[in-house]
Amino acid sequence: MDRAELSITLHRTGDEAVLRLAGEIDMLTAAQLSTVVNEVLTDPPPRIVLDLGGVTFCDSQGLGTLVVLSRKASHAQSLLVLTHVGDFLLRVLDITGLRSALMIRNDQPAS
């Protein structure tokens, strides 16, 4: 079995930190994501954006990590926003009831 991988690219501007994720968020990579977000939270911007456009898989550990990081950001007076969330992940968030616990901003025209 291949080891899951997660690539994280960080770009900071004045108002936000954008983390572009590519790969899998699971029990093997969730700690890596937590570490990077926790480092950003040492000097928290108003908004932390997790661009999930390159995420191909997310297990229960990954889902839990997203919720915990959202709460940590909130406590640090920052807002964690998920963007480019794939359909598979939106379905999982709906099924688990976690969608309402996360701020999701997929760039779509209003219907």
Side-chain angles (χ1 to χ4, degrees):
M1 185 168 126
D2 290 337
R3 183 173 177 354
E5 292 188 17
L6 179 66
S7 166
I8 303 172
T9 305
L10 171 63
H11 176 72
R12 272 190 183 260
T13 64
D15 288 344
E16 65 185 20
V18 178
L19 285 75
R20 286 190 173 76
L21 281 58
E24 301 181 2
I25 307 173
D26 59 18
M27 62 182 282
L28 299 175
T29 62
Q32 176 189 355
L33 175 58
S34 292
T35 298
V36 174
V37 173
N38 286 328
E39 287 172 5
V40 169
L41 288 173
T42 59
D43 181 20
R47 193 168 43 255
I48 299 171
V49 178
L50 297 185
D51 181 340
L52 304 181
V55 172
T56 56
F57 178 78
C58 184
D59 71 2
S60 59
Q61 183 79 29
L63 293 174
T65 299
L66 292 174
V67 172
V68 168
L69 292 176
S70 179
R71 290 184 182 148
K72 282 185 174 183
S74 180
H75 288 301
Q77 306 299 310
S78 186
L79 180 64
L80 184 81
V81 180
L82 308 182
T83 63
H84 301 112
V85 181
D87 288 341
F88 81 94
L89 187 50
L90 288 173
R91 281 194 301 277
V92 171
L93 291 171
D94 284 337
I95 291 167
T96 58
L98 292 175
R99 189 170 183 167
S100 61
L102 298 165
M103 175 73 65
I104 299 172
R105 292 275 189 251
N106 277 355
D107 299 330
Q108 303 172 15
S111 48

